[in-house]
Amino acid sequence: MSTPIRRQYLELKQRYPDTVLFFRLGDFYETFDDDAKLVATELQITLTSKPMGKDLRVPLAGVPYHSIDAHVAKLVARGHRVAICEQLADPAEVKGLVPRDVVRVVTSGTITSDNSLEAGSPNYLAAIASRKGHLAAALADITTGEVRLASGHEAPLELLRSAPAELLIEDETDVPPGLAAVTRRRAPLGDLAVEAELARQFGDHARTSLAAGDAEAAALAHLLSYVRETYPAALGALQRVRPVVDGASLALDQRTLRNLDVFPGQGQTSSLYQALNHCRTPMGARLLRSWLTRPLRDGPRLAERHDAVDWAAVHPIEREQLQALLRGLPDIGRLAGKVGARSAGPRDLHGLRAGLRAALDLGAMLNRVQQPALIAGATGRLAATAEPLLALDAALDPDPPASFDEGGVINPGFNGEVDTLRAMTRDARGFLLGLERLERERTGIRSLKVGHNRVFGYYIEVSAANAALVPGHYQRRQTLVGAERYVTEELKEHESRLMGARERLSELEQRIFGQLVETLAAGLEGLQALAEAVATIDLALALGEVAAAHAYTRPAFNEGERLRIVDGRHPVVELALGPGRFVPNDCLLDDDCQVLILTGPNMSGKSTFLRQVALIALMAQAGSFVPAAKAELPLFDRIFTRIGAQDDLAAGQSTFMVEMVETAQILHQATPQSLVVLDEVGRGTSTFDGMAIARAVLEFLHNRREAAARTLFATHYHELTALAGILPRVRNAHVAVHEEGAEVVFEHRIVPGPSDRSYGIHVARLAGLPAAVVTRAGHLLEELEALRGDGSRAGAPSPNGETVQLSLLAAPSEVEKALAQLDVDGLTPIEAIQKLYELRALVRPPARR
């Protein structure tokens, strides 16, 4: 027969079978059975056992209540769902079994502990659903109340750039390739269930904006339903849904963000985000992440951002004064999220008040200067601080404690009953101090003390040496080594009065505090808008600071497809090298140069150049100034990158397979408004195959009008440089190298024309290969070069019987030359047919037998 506590636990575990259940017992959260074994292993804590019935001992592992957040965070980071079971009544006041229930389930997408989250990064829960062949995704950060809804081709893009911590799915085929998230399978929701969920959260007006049968409604309903199951209080923070506008952003997936080092990866210490993040608040840092993952394609909005950065860059005194106000400002966004979830404590509201006061000062300072439109709009929203600040100043103590145990949360003078109860507790403490003096005089015991502990309450302590002087009306309560503790009727009466006043004070302060939170929650939308305004101001100032410090320039945009960068620099590498050490380079992609083939030695700077062009385009459309003397750019619709390679062992894909899959995605999705960066395509297979694939990829991007993206193509296949003489919009460039005897100096300058050598053996020497290996490689290279120069046809047997490397780019034939000179777009149908006859005449028909 199991104990009542055991039966209570099993009932809760049956309700939450797929979670690790932490069961509150006194000052500990305990886990049992298989949960205990898992927790002991994952958290490296001791596994013990506990009797839970006749002849029944069960595995047990527990953690102290004050450290639960850290332990839960570790389990959630490993993909587990954790259910928190609390005691719903004070065990001291309950006869029998203490009522308990699960108050929330913590998952990777719903975790809210400050110590478990990165202040400068959002934490998204997402859901994806498909209806009638249409896909939609809903995302929410429950720590701030941010909710976004994307549909169509924007749905997978939004998931890829947002990188949610947890994804709810109906069908695994809906998950975008390359998305790394903890996935949860959910049963499909019917139209009635979808409609009910939306109406429950947003009211009946939700029906007018979202149809129950649509994918958008289903995705949002899945997200709301999951939050209701795991952390229902957080629904109070999710009040406004923002649609992701189709085509409004430059599309970036996680691969491109990773290849360009936009955000720090595992083991990395530098990134574009870190180079630009001079924000003084977590809100500004999160907004920077948003701007970098969702660059704009809207010229007027970009002009507003650049105007704001320009103003911040050229007004250093005002910028520094404003940043001084922002420094140390509490995270209003996440504090507002706690208000919406009704989980804010006294210190949270104290921090919110400090943030509101700083925001008020920020607005006052900004109103004294001429502001650009973006900052002026944000300044206008700062006026929302007045009402909540008045409510906080009136009700909340200037320095409230973290808990309600000792009172002092509510401001003196705000509530008369609170003041009376507070005076009673203060007077009772004074009485006890007076009692100690009085009893010393009455008994003549100079060492007599009046004290208190949580077990026995208040007592009078007398040393054993003075036991004979103890009056008869003293009642012994506890015997110690060398002392006795007593109580009197008078002491018990005052203790009762004091404890009653404390309990009543705590209850009353909690009720008034709850009303204050409700008052603030009624204006939650204003608090969230205020947090966004502060973030906007902070980010504009930060980007202005970076622009001024590193001589960034304002980019210009054109309506065509011309990209011209003068003295461009890589923002991250330049920062690592220090001022003046980075070698700047120009880049021009226009109607005459759609594809730029870049050759040169390893370590010479080819990949850096490719990345810096892509980063300058990304930074410009994010709203930042760029590291260049001048930058004129089109508004790209997407940036594609194929840089580096690694095996995907989990998917059973080799390095080359990964390379080909990524290249295929680029070729299928690129448009003339895209920027494509390809680094050494084809290197993962044999030379012949790799060169053939590389050329075919280049021809596809050049010849297909629907895929004619601006392309940077770095390669070691020097044969590909001959394409500049065949394809009219292909140009060559290489990294300049200076030879000093046997030594090679990489100049890191990009100059027109193809490179004549790869200098691979020189790089091998720099890398530290043994001298014997380097020398032998040099001799072999000379033999191979001599073999190529004997007049043999490449790819065919040479006179000595050996096969020479295939050249895919032999001298162009008469037909190829004629084709290259054709103005295809200007030919009439009749002229085109005539040209075909002329070209056929150039081809010698095979001899008949």
Side-chain angles (χ1 to χ4, degrees), residues 27 82 168 226 249 258 323 362 496 536 541 585-586 592 647-648 653 713 740 838:
D27 289 340
V82 179
L168 312 175
Y226 190 73
S249 299
R258 181 177 62 251
Q323 288 178 321
L362 191 69
S496 177
T536 301
L541 297 174
N585 279 294
D586 300 345
D592 294 326
D647 291 343
D648 187 351
Q653 295 183 343
F713 193 100
E740 296 179 356
E838 293 175 4

PDB file of all heavy atoms in Angstrom, residues 27 82 168 226 249 258 323 362 496 536 541 585-586 592 647-648 653 713 740 838:
ATOM      1  N   ASP A  27      11.257  22.295   1.680  1.00  0.00           N
ATOM      2  CA  ASP A  27      12.249  23.176   1.065  1.00  0.00           C
ATOM      3  C   ASP A  27      12.945  22.545  -0.138  1.00  0.00           C
ATOM      4  O   ASP A  27      13.943  23.075  -0.623  1.00  0.00           O
ATOM      5  CB  ASP A  27      13.309  23.574   2.109  1.00  0.00           C
ATOM      6  CG  ASP A  27      12.753  24.526   3.153  1.00  0.00           C
ATOM      7  OD1 ASP A  27      11.719  25.153   2.876  1.00  0.00           O
ATOM      8  OD2 ASP A  27      13.352  24.636   4.232  1.00  0.00           O
ATOM      9  N   VAL A  82       9.918  20.165 -18.323  1.00  0.00           N
ATOM     10  CA  VAL A  82       9.950  20.053 -16.863  1.00  0.00           C
ATOM     11  C   VAL A  82       8.662  20.613 -16.285  1.00  0.00           C
ATOM     12  O   VAL A  82       8.314  21.774 -16.535  1.00  0.00           O
ATOM     13  CB  VAL A  82      11.160  20.811 -16.267  1.00  0.00           C
ATOM     14  CG1 VAL A  82      11.159  20.704 -14.750  1.00  0.00           C
ATOM     15  CG2 VAL A  82      12.464  20.259 -16.846  1.00  0.00           C
ATOM     16  N   LEU A 168       6.519  23.751 -32.896  1.00  0.00           N
ATOM     17  CA  LEU A 168       5.349  22.877 -32.850  1.00  0.00           C
ATOM     18  C   LEU A 168       4.950  22.539 -34.284  1.00  0.00           C
ATOM     19  O   LEU A 168       4.805  23.434 -35.120  1.00  0.00           O
ATOM     20  CB  LEU A 168       4.191  23.570 -32.133  1.00  0.00           C
ATOM     21  CG  LEU A 168       4.528  24.245 -30.796  1.00  0.00           C
ATOM     22  CD1 LEU A 168       3.316  24.997 -30.260  1.00  0.00           C
ATOM     23  CD2 LEU A 168       5.018  23.216 -29.793  1.00  0.00           C
ATOM     24  N   TYR A 226      -0.539  25.659 -26.928  1.00  0.00           N
ATOM     25  CA  TYR A 226       0.629  25.110 -26.232  1.00  0.00           C
ATOM     26  C   TYR A 226       1.012  25.982 -25.028  1.00  0.00           C
ATOM     27  O   TYR A 226       1.347  25.469 -23.961  1.00  0.00           O
ATOM     28  CB  TYR A 226       1.796  25.015 -27.211  1.00  0.00           C
ATOM     29  CG  TYR A 226       2.993  24.259 -26.688  1.00  0.00           C
ATOM     30  CD1 TYR A 226       2.970  22.881 -26.553  1.00  0.00           C
ATOM     31  CD2 TYR A 226       4.172  24.924 -26.338  1.00  0.00           C
ATOM     32  CE1 TYR A 226       4.075  22.174 -26.087  1.00  0.00           C
ATOM     33  CE2 TYR A 226       5.280  24.233 -25.866  1.00  0.00           C
ATOM     34  CZ  TYR A 226       5.224  22.859 -25.746  1.00  0.00           C
ATOM     35  OH  TYR A 226       6.311  22.167 -25.274  1.00  0.00           O
ATOM     36  N   SER A 249      11.493  42.038 -46.596  1.00  0.00           N
ATOM     37  CA  SER A 249      12.834  41.864 -46.035  1.00  0.00           C
ATOM     38  C   SER A 249      13.740  41.153 -47.018  1.00  0.00           C
ATOM     39  O   SER A 249      13.298  40.337 -47.839  1.00  0.00           O
ATOM     40  CB  SER A 249      12.779  41.051 -44.735  1.00  0.00           C
ATOM     41  OG  SER A 249      11.998  41.697 -43.761  1.00  0.00           O
ATOM     42  N   ARG A 258      25.428  32.082 -40.861  1.00  0.00           N
ATOM     43  CA  ARG A 258      26.590  31.384 -40.302  1.00  0.00           C
ATOM     44  C   ARG A 258      27.830  31.607 -41.166  1.00  0.00           C
ATOM     45  O   ARG A 258      28.914  31.896 -40.652  1.00  0.00           O
ATOM     46  CB  ARG A 258      26.284  29.898 -40.172  1.00  0.00           C
ATOM     47  CG  ARG A 258      27.404  29.072 -39.570  1.00  0.00           C
ATOM     48  CD  ARG A 258      26.996  27.622 -39.409  1.00  0.00           C
ATOM     49  NE  ARG A 258      26.679  26.984 -40.675  1.00  0.00           N
ATOM     50  CZ  ARG A 258      25.463  26.630 -41.073  1.00  0.00           C
ATOM     51  NH1 ARG A 258      24.433  26.869 -40.286  1.00  0.00           N
ATOM     52  NH2 ARG A 258      25.261  26.037 -42.240  1.00  0.00           N
ATOM     53  N   GLN A 323      23.393  58.162 -24.232  1.00  0.00           N
ATOM     54  CA  GLN A 323      23.862  56.813 -23.888  1.00  0.00           C
ATOM     55  C   GLN A 323      24.165  56.687 -22.398  1.00  0.00           C
ATOM     56  O   GLN A 323      24.022  55.612 -21.823  1.00  0.00           O
ATOM     57  CB  GLN A 323      25.087  56.463 -24.730  1.00  0.00           C
ATOM     58  CG  GLN A 323      24.752  56.196 -26.199  1.00  0.00           C
ATOM     59  CD  GLN A 323      25.975  55.889 -27.032  1.00  0.00           C
ATOM     60  OE1 GLN A 323      27.040  56.496 -26.857  1.00  0.00           O
ATOM     61  NE2 GLN A 323      25.851  54.951 -27.955  1.00  0.00           N
ATOM     62  N   LEU A 362      15.101  60.535 -20.829  1.00  0.00           N
ATOM     63  CA  LEU A 362      15.571  60.390 -22.206  1.00  0.00           C
ATOM     64  C   LEU A 362      14.712  61.242 -23.147  1.00  0.00           C
ATOM     65  O   LEU A 362      15.231  61.962 -24.009  1.00  0.00           O
ATOM     66  CB  LEU A 362      15.504  58.919 -22.607  1.00  0.00           C
ATOM     67  CG  LEU A 362      16.181  58.486 -23.900  1.00  0.00           C
ATOM     68  CD1 LEU A 362      17.686  58.567 -23.782  1.00  0.00           C
ATOM     69  CD2 LEU A 362      15.762  57.046 -24.252  1.00  0.00           C
ATOM     70  N   SER A 496       1.586  36.627  19.688  1.00  0.00           N
ATOM     71  CA  SER A 496       0.399  36.369  18.893  1.00  0.00           C
ATOM     72  C   SER A 496      -0.051  37.625  18.156  1.00  0.00           C
ATOM     73  O   SER A 496      -0.412  37.581  16.976  1.00  0.00           O
ATOM     74  CB  SER A 496      -0.725  35.850  19.787  1.00  0.00           C
ATOM     75  OG  SER A 496      -1.909  35.670  19.041  1.00  0.00           O
ATOM     76  N   THR A 536      14.849  51.350 -30.159  1.00  0.00           N
ATOM     77  CA  THR A 536      15.139  52.051 -31.413  1.00  0.00           C
ATOM     78  C   THR A 536      16.148  53.171 -31.194  1.00  0.00           C
ATOM     79  O   THR A 536      17.110  53.329 -31.957  1.00  0.00           O
ATOM     80  CB  THR A 536      13.842  52.620 -32.010  1.00  0.00           C
ATOM     81  OG1 THR A 536      12.926  51.540 -32.254  1.00  0.00           O
ATOM     82  CG2 THR A 536      14.118  53.354 -33.316  1.00  0.00           C
ATOM     83  N   LEU A 541      21.713  55.161 -31.786  1.00  0.00           N
ATOM     84  CA  LEU A 541      22.895  55.776 -31.170  1.00  0.00           C
ATOM     85  C   LEU A 541      24.104  54.851 -31.277  1.00  0.00           C
ATOM     86  O   LEU A 541      25.227  55.299 -31.540  1.00  0.00           O
ATOM     87  CB  LEU A 541      22.610  56.095 -29.699  1.00  0.00           C
ATOM     88  CG  LEU A 541      21.505  57.121 -29.417  1.00  0.00           C
ATOM     89  CD1 LEU A 541      21.244  57.214 -27.919  1.00  0.00           C
ATOM     90  CD2 LEU A 541      21.876  58.489 -29.972  1.00  0.00           C
ATOM     91  N   ASN A 585      39.404  47.231 -50.607  1.00  0.00           N
ATOM     92  CA  ASN A 585      39.298  46.830 -52.007  1.00  0.00           C
ATOM     93  C   ASN A 585      37.993  47.325 -52.613  1.00  0.00           C
ATOM     94  O   ASN A 585      36.998  47.522 -51.909  1.00  0.00           O
ATOM     95  CB  ASN A 585      39.355  45.298 -52.134  1.00  0.00           C
ATOM     96  CG  ASN A 585      40.777  44.775 -52.084  1.00  0.00           C
ATOM     97  OD1 ASN A 585      41.564  45.059 -52.983  1.00  0.00           O
ATOM     98  ND2 ASN A 585      41.109  44.035 -51.035  1.00  0.00           N
ATOM     99  N   ASP A 586      38.034  47.516 -53.924  1.00  0.00           N
ATOM    100  CA  ASP A 586      36.849  47.928 -54.668  1.00  0.00           C
ATOM    101  C   ASP A 586      36.125  46.696 -55.200  1.00  0.00           C
ATOM    102  O   ASP A 586      36.704  45.614 -55.336  1.00  0.00           O
ATOM    103  CB  ASP A 586      37.221  48.817 -55.853  1.00  0.00           C
ATOM    104  CG  ASP A 586      37.950  50.089 -55.420  1.00  0.00           C
ATOM    105  OD1 ASP A 586      37.907  50.398 -54.215  1.00  0.00           O
ATOM    106  OD2 ASP A 586      38.545  50.749 -56.292  1.00  0.00           O
ATOM    107  N   ASP A 592      27.776  45.045 -67.307  1.00  0.00           N
ATOM    108  CA  ASP A 592      28.914  44.465 -68.027  1.00  0.00           C
ATOM    109  C   ASP A 592      29.608  43.377 -67.210  1.00  0.00           C
ATOM    110  O   ASP A 592      30.362  42.572 -67.765  1.00  0.00           O
ATOM    111  CB  ASP A 592      29.926  45.553 -68.374  1.00  0.00           C
ATOM    112  CG  ASP A 592      29.366  46.553 -69.381  1.00  0.00           C
ATOM    113  OD1 ASP A 592      28.584  46.134 -70.249  1.00  0.00           O
ATOM    114  OD2 ASP A 592      29.699  47.746 -69.277  1.00  0.00           O
ATOM    115  N   ASP A 647      30.761  17.774 -43.328  1.00  0.00           N
ATOM    116  CA  ASP A 647      29.876  16.616 -43.439  1.00  0.00           C
ATOM    117  C   ASP A 647      28.634  16.838 -42.584  1.00  0.00           C
ATOM    118  O   ASP A 647      28.693  17.469 -41.533  1.00  0.00           O
ATOM    119  CB  ASP A 647      30.586  15.349 -42.933  1.00  0.00           C
ATOM    120  CG  ASP A 647      31.715  14.935 -43.863  1.00  0.00           C
ATOM    121  OD1 ASP A 647      31.733  15.411 -44.994  1.00  0.00           O
ATOM    122  OD2 ASP A 647      32.574  14.148 -43.417  1.00  0.00           O
ATOM    123  N   ASP A 648      27.508  16.311 -43.062  1.00  0.00           N
ATOM    124  CA  ASP A 648      26.293  16.246 -42.253  1.00  0.00           C
ATOM    125  C   ASP A 648      26.084  14.778 -41.926  1.00  0.00           C
ATOM    126  O   ASP A 648      25.335  14.072 -42.589  1.00  0.00           O
ATOM    127  CB  ASP A 648      25.109  16.828 -43.031  1.00  0.00           C
ATOM    128  CG  ASP A 648      23.861  16.948 -42.168  1.00  0.00           C
ATOM    129  OD1 ASP A 648      23.885  16.414 -41.037  1.00  0.00           O
ATOM    130  OD2 ASP A 648      22.882  17.551 -42.622  1.00  0.00           O
ATOM    131  N   GLN A 653      25.127  12.600 -45.107  1.00  0.00           N
ATOM    132  CA  GLN A 653      25.590  13.342 -46.277  1.00  0.00           C
ATOM    133  C   GLN A 653      27.064  13.677 -46.139  1.00  0.00           C
ATOM    134  O   GLN A 653      27.498  14.169 -45.100  1.00  0.00           O
ATOM    135  CB  GLN A 653      24.775  14.630 -46.448  1.00  0.00           C
ATOM    136  CG  GLN A 653      23.307  14.384 -46.769  1.00  0.00           C
ATOM    137  CD  GLN A 653      22.556  15.678 -47.006  1.00  0.00           C
ATOM    138  OE1 GLN A 653      23.016  16.746 -46.633  1.00  0.00           O
ATOM    139  NE2 GLN A 653      21.394  15.590 -47.630  1.00  0.00           N
ATOM    140  N   PHE A 713      32.461  34.623 -57.505  1.00  0.00           N
ATOM    141  CA  PHE A 713      32.801  33.208 -57.614  1.00  0.00           C
ATOM    142  C   PHE A 713      34.311  33.049 -57.433  1.00  0.00           C
ATOM    143  O   PHE A 713      35.094  33.400 -58.316  1.00  0.00           O
ATOM    144  CB  PHE A 713      32.375  32.688 -58.990  1.00  0.00           C
ATOM    145  CG  PHE A 713      32.389  31.196 -59.136  1.00  0.00           C
ATOM    146  CD1 PHE A 713      31.231  30.466 -59.038  1.00  0.00           C
ATOM    147  CD2 PHE A 713      33.575  30.519 -59.388  1.00  0.00           C
ATOM    148  CE1 PHE A 713      31.236  29.080 -59.191  1.00  0.00           C
ATOM    149  CE2 PHE A 713      33.600  29.153 -59.528  1.00  0.00           C
ATOM    150  CZ  PHE A 713      32.426  28.419 -59.437  1.00  0.00           C
ATOM    151  N   GLU A 740      59.395  37.703 -53.825  1.00  0.00           N
ATOM    152  CA  GLU A 740      60.741  38.169 -53.475  1.00  0.00           C
ATOM    153  C   GLU A 740      61.636  36.943 -53.368  1.00  0.00           C
ATOM    154  O   GLU A 740      61.755  36.329 -52.307  1.00  0.00           O
ATOM    155  CB  GLU A 740      60.714  38.942 -52.153  1.00  0.00           C
ATOM    156  CG  GLU A 740      59.899  40.230 -52.217  1.00  0.00           C
ATOM    157  CD  GLU A 740      59.879  40.948 -50.875  1.00  0.00           C
ATOM    158  OE1 GLU A 740      60.436  40.398 -49.897  1.00  0.00           O
ATOM    159  OE2 GLU A 740      59.310  42.046 -50.810  1.00  0.00           O
ATOM    160  N   GLU A 838      23.558  29.950 -90.723  1.00  0.00           N
ATOM    161  CA  GLU A 838      24.957  30.339 -90.879  1.00  0.00           C
ATOM    162  C   GLU A 838      25.849  29.567 -89.912  1.00  0.00           C
ATOM    163  O   GLU A 838      26.955  29.140 -90.273  1.00  0.00           O
ATOM    164  CB  GLU A 838      25.098  31.843 -90.641  1.00  0.00           C
ATOM    165  CG  GLU A 838      24.416  32.699 -91.710  1.00  0.00           C
ATOM    166  CD  GLU A 838      24.479  34.178 -91.383  1.00  0.00           C
ATOM    167  OE1 GLU A 838      25.121  34.523 -90.366  1.00  0.00           O
ATOM    168  OE2 GLU A 838      23.882  34.996 -92.110  1.00  0.00           O
TER     169      GLU A 838
END
